[in-house]
């Protein structure tokens, strides 16, 4: 995997979501992102784990499923994800998948 803004091992806190968060990318990102969440939970003292979400252009059910998986892992430590400025594509995908309330509960518009 190449280092990119979405590569957790090259990314400091917070994590920037990639433009494409679809089934093709999820397979490559999953393990790194799960590791990132575990490291962030151990290293950072904030109440939430911020994900910069403004740049997401495409997301499918695999991408939203990965976000839910990360959130579930973070919630085990009482530290939910915080999606910063979710893009219109992310908002629309969550609405179509019945996740609008989940997204609203985890959204902030400032960094």
């Amino acid at each position: 995997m190449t280092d990119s803004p979405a590569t957790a091992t090259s990314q400091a806190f917070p994590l920037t979501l990639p433009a494409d968060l679809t089934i093709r990318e999820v397979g490559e990102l999953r393990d790194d992102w799960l590791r990132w969440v575990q490291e962030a939970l151990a290293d950072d003292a904030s109440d939430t784990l911020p994900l910069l979400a403004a740049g997401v252009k495409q997301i499918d059910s695999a991408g939203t499923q990965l976000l839910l998986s990360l959130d579930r892992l973070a919630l085990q430590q009482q530290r939910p994800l915080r999606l910063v400025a979710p893009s219109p594509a992310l908002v629309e995908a969550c609405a179509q998948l019945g996740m609008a309330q989940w997204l609203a509960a985890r959204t902030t518009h400032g960094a």
Side-chain angles (χ1 to χ4, degrees):
M1 175 187 286
T2 62
D3 284 344
S4 71
T7 303
T9 56
S10 68
Q11 178 81 19
F13 200 71
L15 183 68
T16 300
L17 298 182
D20 293 325
L21 193 51
T22 60
I23 194 164
R24 275 181 296 204
E25 292 79 18
V26 166
E28 295 178 15
L29 296 172
R30 183 185 175 277
D31 291 339
D32 282 344
W33 283 13
L34 289 172
R35 188 172 25 262
W36 175 84
V37 168
Q38 292 170 335
E39 290 172 3
L41 289 170
D43 295 342
D44 190 273
S46 68
D47 292 338
T48 62
L49 299 179
L51 301 177
L52 305 179
V56 176
K57 303 269 188 245
Q58 291 185 22
I59 184 167
D60 62 12
S61 60
T64 56
Q65 188 174 24
L66 177 57
L67 293 177
L68 287 171
S69 179
L70 297 176
D71 190 45
R72 182 177 307 126
L73 179 60
L75 283 172
Q76 290 173 354
Q77 300 297 317
Q78 290 77 45
R79 305 220 353 244
L81 297 182
R82 182 63 54 203
L83 292 153
V84 180
S87 70
L90 179 55
V91 171
E92 181 180 339
C94 286
Q96 290 176 350
L97 294 169
M99 296 172 47
Q101 284 186 314
W102 175 86
L103 181 64
R106 284 155 183 82
T107 295
T108 186
H109 294 283

